[in-house]
Amino acid sequence: TSLTGQLSGCNVLTRDQSWIINQHVYTATDASLRIQDGTIIGGNDTSSYIVIDKDSKIFAVGTKYAPITFTDKDQSSGTVGLWGGLTLIGNANMSGTQLSYEVDPSFIAGEGVADDSSGVLKHVKVLNSATEVEPDRETNGLSMVGVGSGTVVEDITVDYSGDDGVEIWGGTVNLENVSISNCTDDHLDVDSMYVGTIENLTIDATMGYAAIEMSGTGTVLTLDGFTINVDGFAENTSAEGGIFFKKAGVGGKFYNGTINYNTAFAGAIYSQQVPELANIDFGNVTINTTGAVGDYDFVDQTNDATDGATEIRAIFDTNTTNAVNYN
């Protein structure tokens, strides 16, 4: 069964049918998209992606043994960029400036409703996705724009994305039990004054640029329970590290986690400019890294000790529950 164009009213996707996303699929105001557990939805080609717009909802509730899968129409294995991806847009833009979806700027997040709900994503897989629509305009595996904390996002897998795995612009949405791997750009990218918590995050970066990239003044990402494995980037001299503090004004709080950084470029903690130090914290974080002290642990992008890595390291060292091990 083909899905194309605008979806209005209540739409139900059942597991007993094959569902194909053709080109741009989006929801109308007050529409809902309900997806049964075990359902597979395939994107037809690189122009195919789905947008759950503000003032509408998705209820994609899978189970551990019957997840909901968004993939390409052929259900390929281990191939990036075969279709677009899944995007949610909400009413929790808190930046005070217009926040639009970069792939299609006609989709604009609403403002000021911190607890806004875009519905439920639970036990959902997004595979083989993300393509370049135009230069510097790419879809991702899972994109969220101004999505509020009333949205449930739990038990999410994103694998083989041709751009970012999960990208969040603004909003207050929280995520739980998230696994991201094999992305060609950033695995997790947060921007535009996003302030939310991700619990139990696993990233396996075998290619791409950064495991986590943070940008946008006022962005404060909180991680509680995480494992970041970086074993790729071996041929990528433009690598951007395990956790990348990009630009000034960014904050991040990291608790109960491990970074295994096994590559000879960038660093486990990588900084481009001095971030918002008052919004940075580490607790019970262990970094295991290749090389000696200063090689690939806390690194300035320009290697001139002016980009924030020294200041971030000082915060890290104030808590004795944190540790760095050199291999």
Side-chain angles (χ1 to χ4, degrees):
T1 302
S2 176
L3 299 171
T4 189
Q6 187 181 74
L7 303 178
S8 58
C10 180
N11 305 267
V12 181
L13 308 188
T14 56
R15 70 180 76 86
D16 60 346
Q17 294 190 51
S18 296
W19 299 94
I20 302 298
I21 300 168
N22 278 301
Q23 297 186 329
H24 178 191
V25 176
Y26 60 100
T27 53
T29 298
D30 295 327
S32 64
L33 178 62
R34 297 178 179 272
I35 307 175
Q36 287 186 347
D37 62 292
T39 301
I40 298 173
I41 304 99
N44 186 54
D45 55 29
T46 57
S47 68
S48 303
Y49 61 96
I50 186 166
V51 176
I52 307 301
D53 200 5
K54 64 180 180 291
D55 300 319
S56 64
K57 290 182 170 60
I58 183 171
F59 298 96
V61 184
T63 69
K64 180 178 180 179
Y65 300 105
I68 292 165
T69 303
F70 291 87
T71 184
D72 66 289
K73 68 178 186 302
D74 297 319
Q75 300 179 43
S76 305
S77 176
T79 304
V80 305
L82 297 179
W83 70 290
L86 173 63
T87 297
L88 275 59
I89 299 175
N91 288 298
N93 173 22
M94 313 303 282
S95 68
T97 60
Q98 187 179 84
L99 187 59
S100 59
Y101 182 34
E102 72 171 27
V103 172
D104 185 344
S106 66
F107 290 100
I108 301 170
E111 297 186 48
V113 187
D115 62 350
D116 184 53
S117 174
S118 295
V120 180
L121 298 178
K122 193 166 185 177
H123 290 290
V124 169
K125 296 183 177 183
V126 183
L127 312 177
N128 309 315
S129 60
T131 62
E132 185 177 69
V133 177
E134 294 179 8
D136 299 321
R137 293 173 60 187
E138 303 90 7
T139 57
N140 305 290
L142 173 60
S143 303
M144 290 180 280
V145 186
V147 174
S149 62
T151 308
V152 175
V153 183
E154 297 179 2
D155 304 298
I156 304 298
T157 298
V158 179
D159 199 9
Y160 287 100
S161 169
D163 195 65
D164 297 339
V166 176
E167 183 159 9
I168 308 174
W169 291 272
T172 57
V173 63
N174 302 308
L175 292 75
E176 184 175 342
N177 302 331
V178 179
S179 176
I180 311 171
S181 53
N182 301 308
C183 302
T184 64
D185 194 353
D186 307 316
H187 286 65
L188 171 66
D189 188 344
V190 295
D191 197 351
S192 304
M193 204 174 169
Y194 169 67
V195 285
T197 297
I198 301 177
E199 296 184 45
N200 301 324
L201 170 69
T202 300
I203 292 177
D204 289 305
T206 59
M207 54 185 174
Y209 290 88
I212 297 174
E213 178 180 289
M214 302 177 297
S215 56
T217 298
T219 295
V220 182
L221 168 66
T222 300
L223 293 186
D224 189 356
F226 62 92
T227 301
I228 299 171
N229 299 311
V230 180
D231 292 308
F233 307 168
E235 304 301 324
N236 186 0
T237 57
S238 299
E240 296 170 335
I243 297 176
F244 181 30
F245 289 82
K246 185 178 182 180
K247 307 298 185 183
V250 174
K253 301 183 179 184
F254 307 95
Y255 306 114
N256 306 309
T258 301
I259 304 172
N260 299 309
Y261 196 77
N262 300 310
T263 188
F265 296 103
I269 306 294
Y270 196 53
S271 184
Q272 186 179 70
Q273 296 179 5
V274 177
E276 184 58 50
L277 300 175
N279 285 329
I280 295 176
D281 194 22
F282 297 89
N284 193 30
V285 173
T286 298
I287 297 173
N288 301 309
T289 182
T290 301
V293 176
D295 284 350
Y296 308 111
D297 50 7
F298 293 77
V299 178
D300 285 323
Q301 189 178 57
T302 59
N303 295 313
D304 62 1
T306 65
D307 293 344
T310 299
E311 292 86 347
I312 297 169
R313 177 65 191 260
I315 294 170
F316 185 92
D317 287 343
T318 60
N319 191 324
T320 59
T321 65
N322 300 321
V324 184
N325 301 314
Y326 302 94
N327 301 317

